[in-house]
Structures are given as structure tokens and as C-alpha cells.
Amino acid sequence: MSFNLDKFVASPSVEELDSLKKSEIVKVAKHYGIEFQPLMRKDEIKRYVLEYLVDESILPSTVLETAITVPTDNTFELKRLETEMNKEIRLKEMEREREREEREKEKEEREMQMQREEREERERREEKAREQEFRLKQLEVGVMKGSDPKIDLDTGIFDVSKHVKFVPKFQEDNVEKFFNHFKKLGEQLKWPRDKWSILTQSNFTGKAQEVYSALSIEDSMNYDKVKRAILQAYELVPEAYRQKFRKYRKADTQTYVAFAYQKERHFDRWCASKKVSTFDALRQLILVEEFKRCVNDDIKTHLEGNKADKLSEVANLADQYALTHKFSKVGRTQNKNKFRRPNKKYGNSSGTTGNSGSQSGSISPTNSGKKQPDSSRQKNDQVSSNKLPLKT
């Protein structure tokens, strides 16, 4: 049996309302102008209708007592609360994760610091042990006899073989440290400067050994030249330090503290290789680098071959190079134009075709009665062979 809205409005009852479907109760609620949410359940809408009918005195108030109690919870409110709760939980989880990462980072930094301190302490102990061993050797072979410990007692000359064992170990991954350590030992133990190259080469390995073997006998006896060649072979020159500083990037597995430490180390090595110790020197270093970055590649290459460290000197060298190459280009252009054969414009071929045969052997009026030079005759012969008229 179909629902009749007019019949229900004329005689509403709880029994008939209970028998209605949700769509039919919605029609009743709309008829009475009752506000409700379309997503509400059937029982919630029915209760709104009953409350309206009671308020309008259409039905007695007792119907509300017997009516089914409808939960007053709101689905949307529950969802909102649930969303807020989940959001709060996620925020707390993120905070805990951030705290955990910070703790791990601090732990890693402490471990790195401890490893660095242990390494430095170990190196200090090893250096101190070598110095003590050498001093004991001095006391044993020289000092007790009142002679110079550097000099062999039998021959009266410096015996390199007795001092080789005190030379630091050469490490290809830290060449600069080897030379710094060797210099310190050489000065403390007062090794003769002319023997330094022989002492250092005794511990060379890998590429350093190859570079030393390639040096001339004269250069191999000069410690400064040996050191410069080795550092250059390992690219430990100012330009290499600069490029390492500029191009060094953080690795994915590297902490920012470790990255900052390495970046600072590259910068310090760059400054040390350029002997930068004052603010003005640092200022000139940065200005010269920026100047070279802004000029052409050919000028930059020219500047790299010079050891100018001041901006004014670099600028003067660049101007001299640009001026020299400007005149050089002009000279080449003039020489090229000088030896270029000029283009001869001949007469209209249509007006001289008939006389080409007679004119091919004739002599120019300006040269009549005169003997032409060999070069002129050769040109005329060439023109005649090409059947081109001479210009009169």
C-alpha cells in the first residue's frame, strides 16, 4: 500500500509513523519544515518528527516516553574527533622520531670526536716514542763520547742508513702530513738539509716513488723540488685545494658535522698552500678567484701560469694579455690581406667576345715599346690560356 502524505498529515499517529520507511519519513519532515541532515539515520529523523508534533500539540507528550531512544551521537563529530586524535598521535610519533634522530646524531658526533682524539693521541704517542728512541740512540753512539750524534764516529760524515728508521711512514692518502712530520723531525734532530731528499725517498711508495725516479739527479738531491713534485703528482697544489673546497659535497651517509669538518679542512689547506695568514691576504685570495671566474678561458689559463696573488697584478696581466693578442690578431689580418690576390674585373663578355682572339696576344698600350717582366708575361700567358680579355 502506497504512502499517502495528506492522509498522514490529516491524522498523524505514532503507529503509522513507525510503519513508514526512511524516504517516507523524510517527506513528512520536509512537509513540516523540520531541519535535518540527509545522512541521518531513520530513527533520528523520526524522533525529530515526533518532537515537532509534540511541540505543536498534535500528539501527546507521552509518545516521546514510549518512542525508541535515539542515540544523540553525531557521526561527523566522531569522525572529526578521530581525525584530530590521529593527527595528535602522528605529531607525537614525529616528535619521538626527531628526538631519536637527535640522540643518534649526538652519539655519532661523540664517537667521531672520541675516534679523532684517540687517533691524535696515538700519533702523539708514536711521535714521542720515536723521538725518545732517537735520543737514546744519540746517547748510546754519540753523546756519551762527546761527539756530534749526527756524525758517524768512524767516517766523520752523516750516515743516512742510521737515521732512515726515524723517518715517518709514507701514506699516499695523507702526503702533506708526511712532509710536515718529516720537517719537524728533521729540525728537531738537526739532520743536514742536503740529506733530507735521500731520507724522504727511502720511504716513498706508489706514485711518489715513480715521480722521484723520473726526476733528474740534480733535482732528486733538492728536497724542495722533490717535495713540490710529489705534492703536484698528488694534486696537492693551491689550485687542487681550491677545487676540492669548491666541489666538495655532502654524501648521503655523511652527517652534517662531518661534512662541515671536511669542508673546513679543505678551506684551511687551500689557505695554507697560498700562505694566507692575514685578513688582507684572504681578501685578495677571494677577489682573485672571483676575477678569474669572470674572465674568458684563454685569459684565465694565462693567469693560472703566473703566480700573481693580488687583484691589481692579476688585472694588469689580463690587460697585457688582451692587448698583446689584440695586436697579434690585427697583424695576422693585415698580412693575410697583403698576400691575397686582388680580384680583376674584366669587361662585359658580351661586348668583347668577338675580339678575344685578337686581344689575347696584344700588349697593353701602357707597356708598348717596353719589355714586360717575366711575371707579367706569365700572367698574360695564363690569361690567354683562359681566354679572358686583358684590361686596357
Side-chain angles (χ1 to χ4, degrees):
M1 182 178 180
S2 62
F3 171 69
N4 190 332
L5 178 61
D6 295 334
K7 181 179 179 181
F8 176 84
V9 172
S11 177
S13 65
V14 176
E15 293 76 10
E16 188 172 358
L17 188 62
D18 289 339
S19 63
L20 297 179
K21 300 178 182 178
K22 180 179 179 180
S23 59
E24 297 170 345
I25 296 176
V26 168
K27 293 180 180 179
V28 174
K30 288 182 179 180
H31 174 78
Y32 288 118
I34 301 171
E35 295 182 358
F36 63 93
Q37 295 292 336
L39 297 178
M40 285 183 175
R41 295 193 298 272
K42 171 185 174 182
D43 294 337
E44 293 177 334
I45 302 174
K46 185 174 72 173
R47 185 170 183 85
Y48 284 172
V49 173
L50 288 175
E51 289 177 351
Y52 175 82
L53 294 175
V54 171
D55 291 341
E56 296 295 326
S57 301
I58 300 175
L59 292 176
S61 58
T62 56
V63 298
L64 294 175
E65 299 176 359
T66 59
I68 300 174
T69 303
V70 178
T72 58
D73 58 320
N74 193 312
T75 305
F76 296 101
E77 183 68 16
L78 287 175
K79 289 184 178 180
R80 186 181 65 80
L81 292 174
E82 184 179 359
T83 303
E84 291 180 356
M85 187 178 299
N86 292 335
K87 183 178 179 181
E88 221 175 293
I89 293 172
R90 284 197 300 271
L91 289 174
K92 289 182 179 179
E93 289 178 352
M94 290 173 63
E95 186 176 356
R96 285 195 297 270
E97 182 68 18
R98 184 167 56 251
E99 291 176 353
R100 185 181 63 80
E101 290 179 354
E102 290 177 355
R103 286 195 299 270
E104 291 181 354
K105 183 179 179 181
E106 291 175 358
K107 182 180 178 181
E108 186 176 356
E109 292 174 358
R110 286 196 300 270
E111 291 177 353
M112 289 181 60
Q113 181 67 20
M114 290 175 61
Q115 292 176 0
R116 186 162 54 248
E117 291 176 355
E118 290 175 358
R119 185 171 60 253
E120 293 174 353
E121 181 64 24
R122 184 170 58 254
E123 291 174 355
R124 283 195 296 268
R125 287 197 302 267
E126 292 175 354
E127 183 177 354
K128 187 176 180 180
R130 281 192 294 268
E131 292 177 0
Q132 290 177 352
E133 184 181 356
F134 185 76
R135 287 179 185 141
L136 290 174
K137 191 69 175 177
Q138 284 181 322
L139 292 174
E140 180 182 350
V141 300
V143 175
M144 295 180 63
K145 295 184 180 181
S147 60
D148 191 344
K150 302 189 302 298
I151 306 300
D152 186 82
L153 297 177
D154 298 328
T155 61
I157 61 175
F158 181 80
D159 189 355
V160 176
S161 61
K162 294 182 179 180
H163 299 267
V164 169
K165 62 181 178 180
F166 301 110
V167 177
K169 183 180 180 181
F170 183 80
Q171 296 178 353
E172 289 194 290
D173 58 346
N174 205 343
V175 179
E176 189 179 22
K177 179 182 175 182
F178 166 78
F179 283 108
N180 292 336
H181 191 184
F182 176 83
K183 181 181 178 182
K184 186 183 296 184
L185 279 178
E187 292 175 350
Q188 290 177 351
L189 303 178
K190 298 181 181 180
W191 287 337
R193 181 85 180 186
D194 58 345
K195 305 297 182 183
W196 282 20
S197 61
I198 301 177
L199 289 169
T200 54
Q201 66 85 26
S202 62
N203 281 2
F204 283 163
T205 59
K207 188 188 296 184
Q209 199 172 40
E210 296 176 2
V211 172
Y212 181 82
S213 301
L215 293 174
S216 64
I217 297 178
E218 183 180 357
D219 290 345
S220 65
M221 298 299 293
N222 189 315
Y223 170 76
D224 294 328
K225 291 183 178 180
V226 171
K227 177 182 176 181
R228 184 161 51 252
I230 298 299
L231 292 178
Q232 190 170 4
Y234 287 93
E235 298 183 349
L236 299 179
V237 293
E239 179 60 19
Y241 285 131
R242 185 193 71 82
Q243 292 183 11
K244 283 186 178 182
F245 168 68
R246 293 299 184 190
K247 296 180 180 180
Y248 185 71
R249 295 292 182 268
K250 178 184 175 298
D252 294 337
T253 58
Q254 190 180 31
T255 64
Y256 286 97
V257 173
F259 168 69
Y261 171 75
Q262 290 295 336
K263 195 77 168 177
E264 183 181 13
R265 188 179 179 187
H266 289 316
F267 179 76
D268 291 341
R269 285 184 173 179
W270 178 30
C271 292
S273 65
K274 298 292 289 186
K275 297 181 180 179
V276 174
S277 58
T278 63
F279 172 76
D280 184 63
L282 178 62
R283 178 173 174 270
Q284 291 295 326
L285 180 68
I286 301 302
L287 288 173
V288 168
E289 182 199 24
E290 181 63 18
F291 181 86
K292 291 179 180 179
R293 191 183 65 84
C294 297
V295 300
N296 295 333
D297 291 340
D298 54 345
I299 296 179
K300 182 179 179 181
T301 303
H302 174 70
L303 295 177
E304 293 294 349
N306 294 273
K307 296 183 179 181
D309 295 329
K310 293 184 178 180
L311 181 62
S312 58
E313 298 175 355
V314 172
N316 288 331
L317 288 172
D319 281 336
Q320 292 174 9
Y321 179 86
L323 186 62
T324 303
H325 284 67
K326 178 181 179 181
F327 281 114
S328 177
K329 290 180 181 178
V330 172
R332 287 198 298 271
T333 304
Q334 290 177 350
N335 291 335
K336 186 176 180 181
N337 294 334
K338 180 179 178 180
F339 293 104
R340 182 183 297 170
R341 182 177 178 181
N343 294 327
K344 291 186 177 183
K345 296 182 179 179
Y346 300 101
N348 190 349
S349 59
S350 61
T352 58
T353 303
N355 299 327
S356 61
S358 60
Q359 290 181 358
S360 61
S362 62
I363 302 175
S364 176
T366 57
N367 295 327
S368 60
K370 296 183 180 179
K371 186 178 180 180
Q372 289 182 336
D374 294 339
S375 61
S376 299
R377 286 199 303 271
Q378 291 175 359
K379 287 183 179 180
N380 289 334
D381 292 341
Q382 183 178 2
V383 172
S384 298
S385 63
N386 293 331
K387 296 183 180 181
L388 294 175
L390 293 175
K391 185 178 180 180
T392 58

